Amino acid sequence: MVGSRKDAESYVLCCSADLVDSEGCDLGEVIVHAVDHWPMTIPIYFRGDQIETVKAHELIEIPKTGMYNLYFIFCDPLLYGTTITGKTVWKNPTGYLPGRLAPMMKFYGFISLAYVILAVLWLVQYCRFWRDILQLQNYISLVIALGMCEMTLWYFDYSNFNQTGYRPAGITLWAVSIGAIRKTVSRCLLLIVSMGYGVVRPTLGGLTSKVLILGVTYFVAVEVLDVIEHVGAINDMAGKEKLLLVLPVAVLDAVFIMWIFTSLSKTLEKLLTRRLTAKLELYRKFTNTLAVIVVLSIAWIGYELFFKATYAYGSRWQYEWIILAFWNIISFALLCVVCLLWAPSRNATRYAYSEEGPDDFDSEEAVALTSMTTNSHATSDADREKRAVNTDVFRLEDANEEEKIE
């Protein structure tokens, strides 16, 4: 242990006259209570009239796994204003990655493989039913591709750092930027799906510009946060500085969540009113999935706060990587569910928006038309049954101004 407890909130690092006897230290020296030669001290001296001194390279072997820190401490008042230049090189048995982040390299390797598997399965279905592909499924393909590229770049970034001890800014910047694009596109995709785009409405109408503004704002906020946090450093921002960057992202995430669930509520209400059974069941599954994801996210945020509040002096550094990995896992899980619900198939078009056609009428319109048509007796029972089926599954008339095609 370095220093002596002065009160409940501070330590005394330098030995003073009143501490010589109680602490067993030498006057003017750093107070060190060593156990099994730790903490290790490396003294550096200025001799004679020297204004500079050089410390030769020294190799220190770490005998036990744990969190280690390096401190530069001086107790001589004459040394106030001293400038220290140089570098320290830390290497673990597995490489140069810090111990708390070393598991992340393996994690990015596994999740990159998971994205590749998902991409292959999606591509197979995409090629099999390419004639029935919806525009929404193209956006899902984009999210899969972005996620695969992002995780692969993070793996190579950490792998290179682990092997060389240097973190290449180029790879890190690419990983951060693609990750910011992926997060933005994913949230916008969830939002437009919740609005019923491609399923109950052909376009977003006047909402397009609002979605784009929110997406661009979110991208800028995430890009700034991740660049400052990752490029050239490993999560070493001060708490207040990080809060200023995290807060805008958290607020924008809250806006996305509120807008998504508000849109889902309206979409479900319209589908229920118009008795579109197949689409209603699809959106109920989607809503239930989002609700579970939000509950898990809130619970995990609470755990993060507890973890960081009780995380003192690196006591649980072995588990810190789980905090970082969780959000990638939950994003991948949600993407898998979306892929499952909107997977390319021969029946995918039954969930697509259908424009008006000769057989596309709401049930009320069909009744009114039947009562006004003079030759209704000539219409066969089979034709009326076909019209009813098309109405229940495929037809949805625009209910308000924002649903009309621009």
Side-chain angles (χ1 to χ4, degrees):
M1 182 182 70
V2 178
S4 174
R5 173 74 70 179
K6 180 179 180 181
D7 50 48
E9 298 181 355
S10 63
Y11 279 87
V12 175
L13 297 175
C14 297
C15 186
S16 58
D18 58 332
L19 294 175
V20 171
D21 294 331
S22 61
E23 297 294 335
C25 57
D26 296 327
L27 183 63
E29 298 289 338
V30 179
I31 299 174
V32 177
H33 298 284
V35 178
D36 295 332
H37 306 291
W38 289 92
M40 179 180 293
T41 58
I42 305 174
I44 302 175
Y45 300 98
F46 289 86
R47 302 187 184 278
D49 295 331
Q50 289 180 338
I51 62 173
E52 292 185 1
T53 186
V54 178
K55 176 64 181 176
H57 294 170
E58 186 170 348
L59 179 64
I60 299 176
E61 294 187 4
I62 307 296
K64 183 180 179 181
T65 297
M67 181 68 74
Y68 291 84
N69 298 286
L70 175 64
Y71 298 97
F72 293 93
I73 305 173
F74 64 88
C75 294
D76 188 344
L78 296 176
L79 295 178
Y80 284 128
T82 299
T83 301
I84 300 174
T85 59
K87 68 177 182 178
T88 60
V89 179
W90 300 72
K91 186 176 182 180
N92 292 304
T94 56
Y96 288 99
L97 270 176
R100 62 191 177 91
L101 293 180
M104 288 299 294
M105 185 178 68
K106 294 182 180 179
F107 169 77
Y108 283 127
F110 282 119
I111 199 168
S112 297
L113 180 60
Y115 267 100
V116 169
I117 294 174
L118 177 63
V120 170
L121 294 176
W122 181 265
L123 182 61
V124 169
Q125 290 295 103
Y126 195 97
C127 293
R128 287 181 61 192
F129 306 105
W130 64 274
R131 295 180 182 275
D132 301 314
I133 292 298
L134 308 177
Q135 185 64 32
L136 193 61
Q137 291 166 337
N138 291 328
Y139 296 147
I140 295 175
S141 301
L142 175 61
V143 174
I144 295 174
L146 288 172
M148 184 170 57
C149 292
E150 179 194 2
M151 296 303 123
T152 303
L153 284 172
W154 278 122
Y155 173 77
F156 283 115
D157 178 46
Y158 276 59
S159 178
N160 184 81
F161 188 7
N162 192 54
Q163 293 177 7
T164 65
Y166 295 94
R167 195 173 194 188
I171 297 180
T172 308
L173 186 60
W174 273 106
V176 164
S177 299
I178 292 179
I181 296 174
R182 193 263 308 170
K183 293 173 185 176
T184 303
V185 174
S186 298
R187 283 158 177 77
C188 291
L189 176 62
L190 291 177
L191 181 56
I192 65 175
V193 167
S194 302
M195 292 176 175
Y197 171 75
V199 177
V200 298
R201 63 198 309 175
T203 69
L204 297 181
L207 296 175
T208 303
S209 59
K210 296 180 180 179
V211 174
L212 289 176
I213 291 173
L214 180 60
V216 171
T217 306
Y218 184 83
F219 169 77
V220 172
V222 172
E223 179 77 1
V224 172
L225 172 62
D226 288 346
V227 166
I228 294 179
E229 186 175 10
H230 292 287
V231 177
I234 296 285
N235 294 327
D236 58 356
M237 281 192 298
K240 293 182 179 179
E241 295 174 356
K242 189 171 183 178
L243 180 62
L244 293 176
L245 297 175
V246 171
L247 190 58
V249 177
V251 171
L252 291 171
D253 271 327
V255 172
F256 266 113
I257 292 173
M258 293 177 62
W259 199 356
I260 285 172
F261 278 97
T262 301
S263 300
L264 273 176
S265 177
K266 293 179 181 179
T267 301
L268 287 171
E269 183 179 357
K270 293 173 184 176
L271 292 174
L272 182 62
T273 301
R274 299 179 184 278
R275 294 177 295 176
L276 302 177
T277 309
K279 297 179 181 179
L280 180 62
E281 184 64 22
L282 176 71
Y283 268 82
R284 279 177 175 168
K285 293 178 181 179
F286 179 62
T287 303
N288 292 337
T289 300
L290 283 183
V292 171
I293 293 295
V294 170
V295 170
L296 287 176
S297 299
I298 294 174
W300 191 258
I301 291 173
Y303 173 73
E304 275 194 52
L305 295 175
F306 170 78
F307 182 88
K308 293 178 179 179
T310 58
Y311 178 63
Y313 305 109
S315 56
R316 286 180 287 179
W317 60 271
Q318 302 98 321
Y319 310 107
E320 190 172 343
W321 71 275
I322 300 176
I323 300 293
L324 302 174
F326 173 82
W327 298 109
N328 287 309
I329 294 174
I330 203 168
S331 297
F332 179 75
L334 180 57
L335 178 59
C336 288
V337 173
V338 171
C339 290
L340 184 63
L341 293 177
W342 274 274
S345 66
R346 188 171 291 105
N347 298 323
T349 52
R350 71 192 298 242
Y351 299 116
Y353 175 83
S354 178
E355 296 181 354
E356 288 189 8
D359 292 330
D360 284 326
F361 295 96
D362 286 331
S363 56
E364 295 179 359
E365 293 175 336
V367 172
L369 182 61
T370 302
S371 63
M372 296 172 60
T373 304
T374 56
N375 59 344
S376 58
H377 295 289
T379 304
S380 65
D381 292 338
D383 291 335
R384 285 195 296 270
E385 183 178 357
K386 178 180 179 182
R387 183 179 297 112
V389 171
N390 288 337
T391 298
D392 289 342
V393 179
F394 299 109
R395 177 72 176 94
L396 181 62
E397 186 179 32
D398 293 339
N400 51 47
E401 184 66 23
E402 70 179 19
E403 290 181 333
K404 294 181 179 179
I405 301 175
E406 293 181 324

